[in-house]
């Protein structure tokens, strides 16, 4: 953010939400049901909840209606792919159902919930990330699937599978944790067969900041849907605090932000990456508001980081807010044979205004508006 654009007191949540409404009347011109659009809509909904501006709610409903018909069928969604990414948008579907009570949204959410009940699992009972990635646990997938898993049960007063929600979080943490750094790897292949994984641990080669961002956001988000009496809830709180403490040790000391490859900030070509940094900061801000984290430990860190995030990542052009320095994608395997190497993470395009960065900025700026 060039200094003339504003400062930490600027109403970035409203400016950015208004930018989305003007710049992107349709959230997905390809007609694809994509997780990053749900991430962006989640941010818009949080700002609606904070401001009461009905234009934001109308925007969400209008865009969801491009995908969901009156029978709750979702355009371009295929259950048989068992893709956790495709469940993420279910969270905003639940919010809009709660606002409108229209049956089609409940029917759509039912379909996504049923996918989770049938989702393939590792031997340890953690969801596969996708059918095409057998036996693989990705941190991304916890955010995509398991927060919705809990939210659906919370909204409809179901408790049958809440212990399984906890198991997803604790199982993924255990499977991906590196005890030396306290960080979690992007993914783990339980079968040790993927060409990218360590043959002994099953871990992917590197720590990737956005995957860690997905995970800490998921932990903060899921807690409000779990009863305090549920066994394992406090362990999620403990894991959240431990992972964030480890992340703090790898934050850039000048900015309190994070590099694309989390633990190699001094390596040539590595760069401060916005989407992952914004996700982690959003988790910290919401965690503070919900009292999962200590203000004494995290308050000043967050305030400095937010100011630096605005300077490093945010610009304004023709009254439109831009979120810059977003790693376009990051994955493992697939047709591109992504190997999870440092070179791979450096090779992915760096883009602006991708919803994987815009969504977390909407959420973070809204949390900071509440905080200030």
């Amino acid at each position: 953010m060039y200094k003339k654009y504003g400062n930490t007191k600027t109403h970035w949540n409203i400016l950015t939400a208004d930018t989305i409404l003007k710049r992107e009347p349709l959230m997905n011109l390809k007609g694809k049901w994509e997780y990053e659009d749900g991430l962006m809509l989640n941010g818009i909904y949080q700002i609606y909840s904070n401001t009461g501006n009905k234009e934001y709610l109308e925007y969400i409903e209008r865009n969801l209606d491009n995908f969901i018909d009156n029978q709750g069928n979702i355009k371009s969604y295929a259950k048989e792919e068992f893709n956790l990414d495709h469940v993420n948008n279910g969270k905003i579907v639940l919010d809009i159902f709660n606002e409108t009570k229209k049956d089609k949204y409940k029917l759509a959410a039912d379909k996504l919930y049923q996918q989770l009940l049938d989702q393939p699992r590792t031997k340890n009972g953690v969801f596969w990330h996708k059918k095409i990635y057998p036996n693989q646990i990705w941190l991304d997938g916890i955010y995509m699937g398991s927060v919705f898993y809990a939210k659906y049960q919370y909204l409809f007063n179901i408790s049958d599978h809440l212990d399984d929600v906890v198991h997803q979080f604790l199982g993924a943490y255990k499977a991906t944790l590196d005890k030396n750094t306290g960080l979690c790897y992007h993914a783990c292949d339980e079968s040790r067969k993927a060409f990218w994984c360590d043959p002994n641990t099953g871990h992917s080669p590197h720590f990737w900041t956005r995957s860690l961002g997905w995970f800490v956001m998921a932990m903060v988000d899921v807690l409000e849907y779990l009863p305090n009496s549920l066994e394992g809830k406090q362990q999620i709180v403990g894991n959240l605090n431990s992972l964030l403490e480890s992340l703090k040790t790898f934050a850039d000391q000048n900015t309190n932000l994070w590099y694309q490859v989390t633990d190699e900030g001094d390596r040539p070509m590595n760069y401060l990456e916005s989407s992952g940094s914004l996700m982690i900061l959003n988790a910290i801000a919401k965690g503070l508001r919900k009292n999962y984290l200590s203000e004494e430990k995290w308050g000043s860190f967050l305030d400095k980081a937010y100011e630096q995030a605005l300077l490093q990542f945010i610009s304004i052009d023709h009254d439109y807010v831009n979120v810059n320095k977003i790693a376009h994608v990051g994955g493992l395997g697939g047709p591109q044979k992504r190997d999870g190497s440092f070179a791979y993470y450096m090779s992915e395009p760096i883009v602006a205004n991708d919803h994987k960065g815009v969504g977390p900025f909407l959420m973070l700026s809204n949390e900071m508006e509440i905080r200030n």
Side-chain angles (χ1 to χ4, degrees), residues 113-114 116-117 121 127 149-168 225-227 230-231:
Y113 186 69
Q114 189 60 49
L116 294 181
L117 297 183
R121 297 167 179 256
F127 294 144
Y149 196 18
K151 186 170 183 170
Y152 181 98
Q153 294 180 72
Y154 177 85
L155 189 60
F156 299 118
N157 296 311
I158 303 168
S159 58
D160 302 25
H161 302 289
L162 287 179
D163 57 343
D164 191 35
V165 173
V166 172
H167 181 72
Q168 299 304 314
Y225 306 122
L226 304 177
L230 184 64
E231 184 177 356

Side-chain angles (χ1 to χ4, degrees), residues 244-349:
L244 285 173
E245 283 287 346
S246 297
L247 278 164
K248 184 188 274 189
T249 67
F250 291 102
D252 174 60
Q253 292 186 355
N254 294 322
T255 63
N256 289 358
L257 303 172
W258 288 270
Y259 285 83
Q260 164 79 331
V261 173
T262 316
D263 62 330
E264 299 190 27
D266 59 348
R267 190 165 174 177
M269 294 186 66
N270 208 357
Y271 61 95
L272 294 176
E273 198 277 330
S274 65
S275 67
S277 293
L278 295 168
M279 288 177 181
I280 296 166
L281 296 179
N282 176 56
I284 294 169
K286 184 174 178 180
L288 284 170
R289 177 168 61 83
K290 293 284 189 177
N291 296 315
Y292 307 139
L293 305 176
S294 159
E295 177 69 30
E296 181 180 1
K297 189 174 290 185
W298 286 102
S300 60
F301 179 93
L302 172 64
D303 291 338
K304 175 183 174 180
Y306 182 56
E307 182 176 13
Q308 287 296 318
L310 295 173
L311 289 167
Q312 296 288 332
F313 303 141
I314 307 303
S315 63
I316 294 180
D317 185 37
H318 301 295
D319 297 323
Y320 284 0
V321 176
N322 302 298
V323 182
N324 305 289
K325 299 183 183 177
I326 303 166
H328 187 221
V329 291
L332 296 160
Q336 305 91 347
K337 301 294 183 184
R338 299 169 296 186
D339 63 1
S341 64
F342 182 87
Y344 161 69
Y345 286 114
M346 293 306 107
S347 73
E348 289 291 2

Side-chain angles (χ1 to χ4, degrees), residues 192-210:
R192 314 294 194 259
K193 293 180 180 178
F195 73 92
W196 48 258
C197 78
D198 183 296
N200 296 313
T201 65
H203 291 152
S204 53
H206 283 282
F207 305 109
W208 181 42
T209 291
R210 188 157 72 219

Side-chain angles (χ1 to χ4, degrees), residues 158-188:
I158 303 168
S159 58
D160 302 25
H161 302 289
L162 287 179
D163 57 343
D164 191 35
V165 173
V166 172
H167 181 72
Q168 299 304 314
F169 277 83
L170 300 186
Y173 183 82
K174 182 178 180 180
T176 60
L177 179 65
D178 174 62
K179 293 181 180 178
N180 291 325
T181 62
L183 299 176
C184 291
Y185 284 98
H186 185 177
C188 177

